[in-house]
Amino acid sequence: MRHVILIISAVIIGLNAFALPKHSEDYVTYHGYSVIRVIPHTEDQFKLVQKLSESLKYDFDFWKPPSKLNKPVDIFSPPTMTRQLIVHLKKGSLMPVTKIRDFGKRAAEAQMEVSSYKSSDAIDPDSFDFYKYHPFADIMGYIQAVAQKYPSFVSISSIGKSLQNRDTQLLKIGYPSSTAKNALFIDAGIHAREWIAPATALYAINQWVTNSSYTDLLKAIDIYVAPSINPDGYEYSRTKDRNWRKTRSGPRQNCYGVDPNRNFAFKWMVAGSSSNPCSETYAGPSPFSEIEATNLKNFLVPHNDTIKAYLTLHSYGEDILYPWGYATGQYPPDVNDLIALGHEMYNAIKAVHGTEYTVGDSGDALYPASGASDDYSKSIGIKYVYTVELRPGDGDNDDDQWYGFDLPAKFIKPTAEETFPALMAAANRVQNGPF
Ligand SMILES: [Zn+2]
């Protein structure tokens, strides 16, 4: 039934040309845009939320789509729709709460931060500021500098160029060995606006390369870190549109970009994906239409015998999600192994600052979404596969402010500090099995 609803909504939304103002050459101001949260408690309320775009004839960007009863849904709403949206929600006995009153203010602050950023030609890994959101060029500059500084156990390579010709590099951290080593693969930034993900990946790299207590681990396994795998989208989110999620291909029907995390060739377009090029979850004209998704696939497939764990860092929600994501109630045969490591990661995170993540099946705990890199990785035989949705959860408020994707830089430190032990739990599993 849910699939039918999704397909019907995709068709209806496809007929309407209600796109966000994303074609301007100027910075998108988002003046008066808000984020409204509701928690559906009954089936009727859930259906009402699922059909919002259809009922109100506006293609809402669900920052958090409806997943299941009693789970929050976050709706990004332009000022022209907010009143109507609230009235409609209240009619269904839902209680809308304004989580962000004016995203325009946050977007303006982000723009100020970006425009005051000073790039450095020569990056010294020892003085690199991990608690800032860096441009793609400096993220690459940092990993190049790390490879140069620690040549005995760190090397750099490329997974390929983005559509706009940005060279997407990754680090391999691990001592050379005469026998094949098992590996952990971590990527971040497939969704452009989720800035906390690349920042967390850089922090982790620094821990592994500067702390000698990881030497034995790095003799036993390799750790690949690709800290920014949608560079065109990421730069666009920094310089033009703080809310940008997708790649930058197109235009198609006057809209740019494909959701690269709906573009992988496993159960493509089965659920949680749109065929409308203006949608935030547009799956693309065909699987692997996006060079960024293809690049990642081209790296993972030939390494699928040695990569034992694949972690993809996203935000937000504080979740540790394992396959399958394409449907609810569908699990791989070794799901108990995935749950076990998921709980180890949960405990590791909680031990640092008390933050409690949710461990669950991606389709059950989040929402069905197919064609994503996690399901694809599992489908090619990688054993331990997780999507990690970083902060914020319901915490991280100051003065009643809440941030969603636009988590201020001061939250990088606690987020990265608590995430690193979870990455270590995965690394230890790669070292020790079972597989
Ligand atoms: Zn994401």
Side-chain angles (χ1 to χ4, degrees), residues 348-349 352-353 355 357 391 413-422:
I349 291 170
V352 180
H353 296 297
T355 310
Y357 274 48
R391 291 195 192 193
K413 187 167 190 286
T415 306
E417 280 172 349
E418 70 193 6
T419 305
F420 182 69

Side-chain angles (χ1 to χ4, degrees), residues 191 194 245 314-315 389:
H191 285 145
E194 300 167 5
R245 165 185 170 95
H314 287 248
S315 72
E389 297 278 357

Side-chain angles (χ1 to χ4, degrees), residues 96-139:
V97 175
T98 302
K99 297 294 283 182
I100 296 177
R101 192 161 297 282
D102 182 7
F103 184 70
K105 270 193 194 160
R106 294 289 315 140
E109 280 166 32
Q111 189 188 21
M112 289 248 295
E113 268 172 48
V114 167
S115 54
S116 66
Y117 183 93
K118 300 252 180 305
S119 260
S120 141
D121 291 340
I123 291 175
D124 174 4
D126 293 334
S127 57
F128 190 75
D129 185 353
F130 294 97
Y131 309 128
K132 255 190 188 160
Y133 292 121
H134 296 274
F136 177 74
D138 286 15
I139 293 174

Side-chain angles (χ1 to χ4, degrees), residues 262-271 287-288 323-326 369-380:
R262 300 289 183 280
N263 194 235
F264 285 75
F266 178 74
K267 306 278 180 190
W268 181 77
M269 275 298 288
V270 164
F288 292 125
W324 301 108
Y326 69 84
S370 66
S373 71
D374 54 359
D375 276 8
Y376 183 79
S377 300
K378 187 67 184 162
S379 81
I380 61 168

